[in-house]
Amino acid sequence: MIRNLFFVFVIGLFTPVVFAAQIAKIKGKSVLIDLAGTAAKPGDAFYALSSDGGRKALIRISKIKGDKAIGKIIKGRPAQGMALELRTKSASVAYKNNPYNAENKNRAYWGGLFGYSRDSMNVDINNSLSGQFLQTVNMTGSGFSGKALLDYELVPQVWFRGSSGLEMFNVSGGSVCGESNAQSCDAKIIYMTFDFLGRYVFKQGRLSPWLGAGVSLLFPATKSTTALSEASVTTTSVFNIAGGADIVMSQKMYIPLQIEYSIFPKSDEVSASAITFRVGAAFAF
C-alpha cells in the first residue's frame, strides 16, 4: 500500500501541469472560455496553447460570470478546445507599454518630424526669342523640412497622421535657362504644407511597421527659379505613398520613422517628384 502511494506521488510530481481553463467557443474576435476553477479577472491575458504546448494566440479577458469568461483575441489564431495559460506580469509589460495596444487609453499623440528629401524635376525649356522647344532639362537636388505631427487612431490598426510645417524643394541642373538661355537652371521653393496621411499598422510591438497613402497641400512661402516662371509657382497638391515604422519607447512616447514618395501634378512641360526620409518623436496627449 505504501509503495503504491509512493508511485502515485512520484507520478504526480513529474507529470506536466495541465491548464484547466480552455476555449469553449469562438465567434469572430470573441472567445467563450471555460475557466474550470482557474483564477482570473478582467484584464488578464492568456496564451492559447496547441497540443504540443506551443503558444498560438493571445486572448485578453473582458468579462467574467461564474466559471465562464468572455475574451477578445489580441493576436494569433486560437481554436476551440485549446488549453489556456495565464500570461505573467513580466511578459505583459511590452504589450501594456505599446501605444497601439487596444486597451491603451492614449489614442492621440503629438510631436515633430524632421526630413531630408531627394528632389527631381524635368522641365521643357523653350528658346527665349523664338519660343520654340530647346531641350528638356533634368534637375535634381535635396532639401530639408520640419513639421509638427499629430497621430490619431480612427479604428484599431488604422491611424490618421497629420503634419504641418515648412518643406524645401530644391533642384538645379543645366545651363540653358533665363532670358538669354545661358543661365543655370534651378528651382528653389519653400512650401508651407498641410499633410493628411492614412496609415495601416501591421504589427503591435516594440517595432510597429505600417503602410499608408495621402495628400499634401503646398503653399509657396518663398520661391526663386530660372527654370520656371515664378508666376507659375502657386498653391498645389501632391500625392504621397508612404511607409515606415514606429519604435516604441514607452506607452507615452515613440519614435516615428517614415519614407514617402511624393508626386507633383504633371503638365505638358513640367514633372516633379521627391523621396523624403523623416524621423521624429511623438508623445501622448
Side-chain angles (χ1 to χ4, degrees), residues 133-155:
F133 171 74
L134 187 61
Q135 72 177 71
T136 298
V137 175
N138 302 315
M139 298 182 291
T140 59
S142 59
F144 297 92
S145 61
K147 301 185 181 185
L149 165 74
L150 169 66
D151 275 351
Y152 184 80
E153 183 189 43
L154 300 176
V155 297

Side-chain angles (χ1 to χ4, degrees), residues 65-87:
K65 186 174 183 180
D67 213 29
K68 303 293 183 182
I70 300 296
K72 178 183 178 182
I73 300 172
I74 303 301
K75 62 180 179 180
R77 294 183 179 180
Q80 185 174 332
M82 279 187 173
L84 298 175
E85 174 191 19
L86 179 65
R87 185 173 66 167

Side-chain angles (χ1 to χ4, degrees), residues 1 14 112 168 188:
M1 181 67 178
F14 291 99
M168 181 187 301
K188 300 177 182 178

Side-chain angles (χ1 to χ4, degrees), residues 261-285:
Y261 178 62
S262 302
I263 305 172
F264 287 73
K266 186 177 181 180
S267 69
D268 292 337
E269 294 82 22
V270 182
S271 63
S273 63
I275 298 176
T276 306
F277 305 87
R278 303 189 195 277
V279 64
F283 304 88
F285 272 13

Side-chain angles (χ1 to χ4, degrees), residues 83-123:
L84 298 175
E85 174 191 19
L86 179 65
R87 185 173 66 167
T88 62
K89 183 177 180 180
S90 60
S92 65
V93 170
Y95 176 82
K96 290 181 179 179
N97 282 345
N98 196 317
Y100 298 115
N101 169 9
E103 296 176 11
N104 178 11
K105 295 181 180 180
N106 299 317
R107 313 318 297 162
Y109 293 77
W110 66 269
L113 286 172
F114 300 93
Y116 170 79
S117 65
R118 293 294 300 170
D119 308 325
S120 64
M121 176 183 284
N122 297 330
V123 181

Side-chain angles (χ1 to χ4, degrees), residues 6 41 87 108 125 143 191 231 255:
F6 176 75
K41 62 182 182 299
R87 185 173 66 167
I125 303 298
Y191 289 103
I255 298 173

